[in-house]
Amino acid sequence: MVPPLLLRSFLAVAETRSFTRAAERLGLRQSTVSQHIRKLEEQLGRALFARDTHAVGLTPDGDALVDFARQVLEANARMERFFQGSQLRGRIRLGASEDFVSAQLAQVLAEFTQAHSAVDLELTVGLSGILYERYDAGELDVIVVKRRTGDPRGQLAWREALAWVGRPGWRPDPALPLPLVLYPPPSITRALALAALEAAGRSWRVACSSASLSGLRAAAQAGLGVAPHSRRLLPPGLAPLPPSRHLPPLGEIEFVVIGPGPQHRVAAALTAALLARPPEWQPEG
């Protein structure tokens, strides 16, 4: 194969008809350009230029080489652009908990796809517990989830206290079991809420169960009950309920990003994008 460096010098001389002007164009010394042409002629076994004291002209072989040299350099430039820098390619399967999707995921994904347009992204939305199962089964590459109790995996995105949320102005009747609006098992917030109620000796009942955040939001807005939820990712139309001895503290929860690590370049880039933009606090009420 002919080194592209030699072909660049050849084309510069062929187009300027001068070793001096070719050297100026390439930012090289004239002796270096002459050396490149000599090596090229030796490699091809052909004389490419006819030289005299007044001008530099192409031989028939040199004239034939011009188109070949341009095609080779153009192909080489396309190859370099294809593999240049941090250009990422491939497919990435992202799983995200629905409450995170409803907040700021759209902006994160817009910025990621703009920076890495050659990456195909497949999004799965669901309960954190199910996303863990699908990740462990190899069906997802990166997940944004609530940390499971006792599971140390993942990079911390943010930490906060869970809140009891409901329709603004809604108050529980302390004489009745607390009506709950919950995700179905294996919801992490469901498990934390029920554990807190049991520890406090507070009676409860499941007034509504839905696997979708829109379903829980509609039920809570209708006043069917109260839901445990991240304060930072609070859905519009719901508000944290004021502290009460009838609503035990729910404790803290962590949102983490779990992926295969830096050896998977696409997953590492997506993980960095997710960790760089934690959701903003939502207005109450």
Side-chain angles (χ1 to χ4, degrees):
M1 296 196 47
V2 178
L5 181 63
L6 304 187
L7 293 177
R8 290 191 187 95
S9 291
F10 165 76
L11 283 179
V13 176
E15 291 169 357
T16 62
R17 294 292 200 267
S18 166
F19 281 81
T20 300
R21 289 195 293 274
E24 292 173 352
R25 174 190 288 187
L26 297 171
L28 301 173
R29 292 181 298 178
Q30 181 176 333
S31 61
T32 301
V33 174
S34 297
Q35 184 181 37
H36 289 171
I37 300 304
R38 183 170 62 255
K39 287 182 178 180
L40 182 59
E41 290 178 326
E42 290 174 354
Q43 183 169 345
L44 297 177
R46 306 290 179 90
L48 302 175
F49 292 101
R51 306 168 180 83
D52 59 33
T53 56
H54 301 291
V56 175
L58 288 165
T59 66
D61 288 324
D63 189 59
L65 181 61
V66 169
D67 285 340
F68 290 126
R70 286 174 177 159
Q71 292 173 23
V72 169
L73 292 178
E74 288 172 2
N76 190 68
R78 289 196 301 272
M79 181 181 66
E80 289 179 350
R81 287 194 297 270
F82 187 91
F83 293 105
Q84 186 177 18
S86 60
Q87 177 75 2
L88 298 177
R89 296 182 176 275
R91 182 171 70 104
I92 189 75
R93 300 167 299 174
L94 170 65
S97 63
E98 189 170 7
D99 38 8
F100 180 68
V101 171
S102 68
Q104 206 165 331
L105 183 62
Q107 182 63 30
V108 175
L109 296 187
E111 294 175 359
F112 178 81
T113 54
Q114 184 176 10
H116 307 290
S117 58
V119 173
D120 296 326
L121 193 144
E122 179 182 310
L123 175 63
T124 298
V125 180
L127 298 177
S128 291
I130 293 181
L131 296 178
Y132 271 102
E133 294 173 1
R134 296 195 61 182
Y135 177 80
D136 291 336
E139 298 174 0
L140 296 171
D141 302 308
V142 177
I143 55 176
V144 186
V145 290
K146 303 178 185 77
R147 189 188 295 281
R148 286 190 303 198
T149 302
D151 194 328
R153 291 178 295 174
Q155 299 183 62
L156 178 65
W158 75 93
R159 178 189 296 109
E160 62 178 290
L162 282 175
W164 293 106
V165 304
R167 184 174 66 186
W170 187 91
R171 297 292 183 272
D173 186 338
L176 298 176
L178 182 66
L180 301 176
V181 176
L182 298 174
Y183 286 119
S187 165
I188 292 174
T189 52
R190 176 191 178 105
L192 289 172
L194 297 184
L197 290 169
E198 292 293 341
R202 178 72 164 95
S203 61
W204 54 270
R205 65 181 179 87
V206 178
C208 178
S209 178
S210 173
S212 73
L213 179 60
S214 59
L216 295 185
R217 177 189 172 194
Q221 280 185 306
L224 297 185
V226 62
H229 203 277
S230 161
R231 180 187 293 265
R232 185 174 297 195
L233 303 179
L234 192 63
L238 299 182
L241 301 183
S244 165
R245 62 188 180 88
H246 304 294
L247 295 173
L250 291 170
E252 284 192 332
I253 194 166
E254 294 180 345
F255 281 82
V256 295
V257 181
I258 303 176
Q263 72 279 4
H264 191 307
R265 294 180 62 230
V266 178
L270 179 57
T271 297
L274 291 165
L275 292 172
R277 289 183 64 98
E280 301 294 335
W281 288 96
Q282 300 291 323
E284 298 183 6

